[in-house]
Amino acid sequence: MEHVEVIDSVCTYCGVGCDIAANVKDNKIQSIFAHPEGVVSEGNLCVKGKYGFEFVDAPDRLRIPRIRKRFLAQNPTIYEAIALHVKELDETWVETTLNAATTAAAMKLQEIQAKYGRTSVCSIGGARTSCESSYLLQKFTRHTLNSPHVDNCARICHSPSLKGMRTTIGEGAATNPYNDIYNAEFMIVFGSNTTEAHPIISNRIVDVAGKHDNLAVFDVREITLHRFAKYKGIIPHEANLLVLNMMAYVIITEELYNEHFLSDRTKGFESFKAKILNDPYANPKYFEHIEGYENLSKLIPKVAREYALKRSMIFWGLGITEHIDGSYAVMAITHLALMTGNIGKQGAGLMPLRGQNNVQGACDMGMLPYYDPDYQTPKEIGLMTPQLVDEMLEGRIKAILNMGEDLTHVHPNSNKVNRALDNVEFIMVQELFMTEIANRADIVIGVKSAYEKTGVYVNAMRRLHLSQPLVKSDLPDDWEVIKLLDNKMGGNYTYEDSKQIWDEVREVAYRRFSGASYNRLERHRVRGLQWPVHTEDTPILHQLDFRTEDGYGEFHYHPYQLRGMVQEIQEKRLTGYHLTTGRTLAQYNNASQTSRCEKLNKRYDETILLVHEDDAADFTSEKVILKTEFGQSAPLTVKFTDKVQPKTLFCTFHHAKSKINNLFGDRCDELILTAAFKSIKVEIINV
Ligand code: SF4
């Protein structure tokens, strides 16, 4: 009988981090299913987890390092050094060995730093690689290259959650385990299309809401979760902070706050209260004058009351963070928890639903320009990705090391990014496939996917999972490429395996990971461990004090600035269309993995523009181009629906050919520069 092995690991896609098990035969994944004892997946996987593995054996997987011919022609000394190891591939590329590719990269990085200075190089990482690789990339950049410029893809998603939560409660992470949903008496989901983006969390929410009728949902469009909600909030674009401050206003004016908690655990409430009471936009009655949204004037107080008087949890996603006031909105969310004591206990807490499977881990590892590992202050603060792009345009950043992040596809203002990349002398990319950024690179190195390697991943509830390979691969892990590069640039990395790197992480980031050895993670593979992990792990954060310097939760009030759609409606001049973008269930981010899985691709292989039926007169052809001052999209297929509001549009950004991110400019979160992907005014061109 043919031998089928069952191997367990963790899903490579979203931040839920489901426990998976795979049937593997002849070093090929046959099927993936939920680990029968999985605490996260609870016996279910979404379609991505179940069917999203074909990419591993895709024929266009990057298996041999490649170098752009033009790069070698422009760098004859480098060509001479590796000429014996170069083989023709096509008119653009030559193939080479990993050794030769890293030799070429090291020579070029040295040349660039000698010519333009040590800070002319930067590293940008994705968050689907392991903690070990993220840790090593930031260490290599900060220490071997001696450049402070390190960033990761959290810049375009949950950096505002980190900022907002650290400012108010000292820790930028979910406070409770997912299963605490079963202990909550009330839940608010705000700016998260959980059913599409974090399906296995959505299952729990739907389950509980179905039994207890205890769910409030706020979004700019009608999403699946609204069907299960007691309070169905459809709000205007860019009104998050407005609604959240209104909830605080209700809690204050109706004295629903928890005085005991406020005096024991927080500071700054009195000043916060005074500011809210003086805010002209904080009274929910304001919505009585916002046509089409009048119901919110009554709905917001009802939600605020239930939230305050019950054991409650709040979940949020990029609908909160990808705005100019994303960090402030996160602070406004934590204010609600601080006022009511809905934090630091079972069934009550704050749950940012983070995007990629290791985005929490990448941040924990210090892949951020303003944090070393364990959120320590680095000796030198580097630049955030949008600032790096500006520096590229100015000619001050000359080299990029890009590990699993598609700068030219998933970041905003793609035309500007491409102009910036034209100014860069050297780009090296570690990837699975020829993504948009790989097609702009000088050296591209194919690396192991998550299903081929060992490493630690931290999911959106701080749960550490030691992932093990489902199949063997000869490709290098990301950290092995960095190690080689380091050695060729005079460094002394001697790591033999990912465990040695992780053991170093446990020393450097001891406040979170000291007790999380590979052995222990192995033993707790099913239950998992939530950081901080010392002798015990920590399922619920902030039980006794907050992780701020003095242990108190802090209020940092920020008023809503009237703008965008709310202002247009108030001033009765709502014209044109507001676009919001997001994910769909079957695809993932730049779709580099999911678009190579037939079963997923069948479900969503082009970008559809959702338009309200009432707006049909403006959409006279089947396809339209969207246009802004920054660029235009490709022609998009129009679908009429009643699930978006009139004068609002929705589409995804997964497929590069749709060119959606051409539309966005530099509008971003004021504190942390996360792009305002959730609302932009667009012009329609029927084609
Ligand atoms: Fe994977 Fe997320 Fe789906 Fe779970 S919910 S199977 S982690 S994509």
Side-chain angles (χ1 to χ4, degrees), residues 208-505:
V208 171
K211 288 179 188 139
H212 304 293
D213 196 21
N214 60 353
L215 174 64
V217 177
F218 289 101
D219 206 285
V220 294
R221 63 190 177 117
E222 191 180 329
I223 55 174
T224 308
L225 277 185
H226 276 117
R227 291 214 304 268
F228 305 91
K230 177 176 181 181
Y231 302 112
K232 304 175 202 302
I234 308 276
I235 64 175
H237 279 230
E238 304 203 47
N240 296 338
L241 186 59
L242 176 66
V243 173
L244 289 160
N245 281 348
M246 285 174 176
M247 286 178 60
Y249 177 92
V250 174
I251 291 168
I252 287 170
T253 52
E254 299 188 14
E255 298 186 357
L256 303 171
Y257 43 80
N258 181 333
E259 279 184 66
H260 184 65
F261 190 89
L262 281 168
S263 63
D264 278 10
R265 302 281 309 268
T266 73
K267 63 184 189 189
F269 178 63
E270 286 308 320
S271 139
F272 172 78
K273 182 176 162 184
K275 286 174 184 159
I276 283 271
L277 293 175
N278 278 318
D279 182 340
Y281 298 115
N283 189 330
K285 284 185 189 299
Y286 175 71
F287 271 112
E288 287 174 1
H289 311 290
I290 303 298
E291 195 185 334
Y293 298 90
E294 296 89 341
N295 71 318
L296 291 172
S297 63
K298 295 215 165 48
L299 187 129
I300 291 167
K302 286 181 191 164
V303 175
R305 283 175 205 129
E306 283 220 43
Y307 174 79
L309 297 174
K310 290 185 170 167
R311 195 172 269 263
S312 305
M313 295 178 95
I314 307 183
F315 302 80
W316 70 93
L318 306 187
I320 285 284
T321 58
E322 289 179 341
H323 285 284
I324 63 167
D325 53 11
S327 297
Y328 295 132
V330 173
M331 290 178 210
I333 288 172
T334 60
H335 293 154
L336 299 177
L338 290 176
M339 276 193 285
T340 57
N342 265 321
I343 190 164
K345 60 189 183 191
Q346 211 177 43
L350 300 171
M351 305 296 285
L353 295 171
R354 310 203 62 167
Q356 305 213 23
N357 64 343
N358 198 37
V359 67
Q360 180 70 55
C363 296
D364 298 344
M365 294 302 110
M367 276 294 296
L368 290 165
Y370 35 77
Y371 288 126
D372 263 353
D374 223 10
Y375 303 97
Q376 304 280 0
T377 308
K379 74 174 188 332
E380 191 178 359
I381 308 273
L383 297 175
M384 297 178 259
T385 305
Q387 296 168 320
L388 290 170
V389 170
D390 286 338
E391 289 294 286
M392 290 170 204
L393 282 167
E394 293 294 324
R396 286 190 285 269
I397 291 287
K398 287 293 186 184
I400 309 170
L401 298 179
N402 193 289
M403 183 176 75
E405 173 69 344
D406 201 345
L407 192 59
T408 43
H409 176 174
V410 294
H411 286 253
N413 214 343
S414 316
N415 288 325
K416 178 181 169 183
V417 169
N418 277 313
R419 284 199 306 278
L421 295 181
D422 287 341
N423 248 7
V424 167
E425 286 190 16
F426 177 62
I427 304 172
M428 183 175 111
V429 169
Q430 296 170 213
E431 255 304 346
L432 307 186
F433 299 101
M434 287 303 288
T435 57
E436 297 292 296
I437 182 77
N439 274 309
R440 299 289 315 253
D442 300 291
I443 296 181
V444 183
I445 298 178
V447 288
K448 282 187 166 88
S449 74
Y451 290 154
E452 294 160 316
K453 63 186 182 187
T454 303
V456 175
Y457 293 79
V458 186
N459 77 355
M461 65 174 207
R462 297 174 285 111
R463 181 186 196 254
L464 281 75
H465 193 122
L466 178 58
S467 183
Q468 58 179 336
L470 302 179
V471 289
K472 294 183 192 71
S473 163
D474 293 335
L475 290 167
D477 198 336
D478 281 310
W479 67 262
E480 290 175 287
V481 178
I482 302 160
K483 174 188 161 185
L484 262 177
L485 204 48
D486 167 82
N487 289 175
K488 288 176 179 180
M489 295 196 71
N492 57 2
Y493 294 168
T494 55
Y495 310 106
E496 294 293 328
D497 55 29
S498 58
K499 179 179 174 298
Q500 288 183 1
I501 302 174
W502 182 249
D503 285 341
E504 184 174 312
V505 170

Side-chain angles (χ1 to χ4, degrees), residues 43-56:
N44 287 304
L45 298 178
C46 78
V47 286
K48 292 190 289 290
K50 222 183 283 180
Y51 303 121
F53 59 85
E54 280 169 83
F55 73 87
V56 174

Side-chain angles (χ1 to χ4, degrees), residues 11-18 45-50 197-200:
C11 176
T12 181
Y13 293 107
C14 84
V16 178
C18 288
L45 298 178
C46 78
V47 286
K48 292 190 289 290
K50 222 183 283 180
H198 299 90
I200 297 301

Side-chain angles (χ1 to χ4, degrees), residues 5-226:
E5 215 182 335
V6 180
I7 306 173
D8 62 79
S9 193
V10 65
C11 176
T12 181
Y13 293 107
C14 84
V16 178
C18 288
D19 339 68
I20 60 167
N23 285 321
V24 180
K25 195 174 87 178
D26 299 334
N27 205 37
K28 272 198 180 321
I29 302 171
Q30 306 291 313
S31 60
I32 286 185
F33 53 95
H35 190 292
E37 297 162 51
V39 173
V40 173
S41 53
E42 285 195 319
N44 287 304
L45 298 178
C46 78
V47 286
K48 292 190 289 290
K50 222 183 283 180
Y51 303 121
F53 59 85
E54 280 169 83
F55 73 87
V56 174
D57 295 316
D60 59 343
R61 223 13 234 282
L62 282 165
R63 303 217 170 262
I64 300 173
R66 56 176 71 181
I67 305 182
R68 191 175 290 277
K69 283 181 179 168
R70 195 181 59 224
F71 172 81
L72 290 177
Q74 289 167 347
N75 294 277
T77 318
I78 294 176
Y79 180 59
E80 265 172 43
I82 63 165
L84 291 177
H85 307 284
V86 158
K87 201 172 115 199
E88 180 81 9
L89 176 63
D90 58 29
E91 57 184 24
T92 309
W93 302 97
V94 293
E95 286 184 339
T96 190
T97 61
L98 178 60
N99 196 33
T102 46
T103 297
M107 288 175 76
K108 190 64 190 174
L109 288 168
Q110 272 160 343
E111 181 201 307
I112 285 174
Q113 286 193 298
K115 197 165 159 195
Y116 301 105
R118 66 180 174 86
T119 60
S120 60
V121 302
C122 68
S123 294
I124 300 175
R128 278 199 316 274
T129 194
S130 61
C131 283
E132 291 84 342
S133 293
S134 294
Y135 170 79
L136 210 60
L137 182 59
Q138 65 79 33
K139 178 176 172 180
F140 170 71
T141 309
R142 286 189 164 116
H143 299 283
T144 307
L145 294 178
N146 199 12
S147 170
H149 303 317
V150 175
D151 208 357
N152 86 83
C153 62
R155 184 66 45 221
I156 48 168
C157 63
H158 267 285
S159 291
S161 295
L162 182 60
K163 178 71 180 173
M165 294 180 89
R166 279 188 73 86
T167 305
T168 47
I169 54 175
E171 194 70 275
T175 57
N176 295 49
Y178 302 144
N179 281 349
D180 245 10
I181 293 171
Y182 300 121
N183 300 313
E185 293 170 336
F186 190 65
M187 300 176 290
I188 299 176
V189 175
F190 207 135
S192 158
N193 186 3
T194 323
T195 318
E196 305 269 343
H198 299 90
I200 297 301
I201 298 299
S202 172
N203 285 359
R204 285 174 172 82
I205 293 173
V206 166
D207 185 22
V208 171
K211 288 179 188 139
H212 304 293
D213 196 21
N214 60 353
L215 174 64
V217 177
F218 289 101
D219 206 285
V220 294
R221 63 190 177 117
E222 191 180 329
I223 55 174
T224 308
L225 277 185
H226 276 117

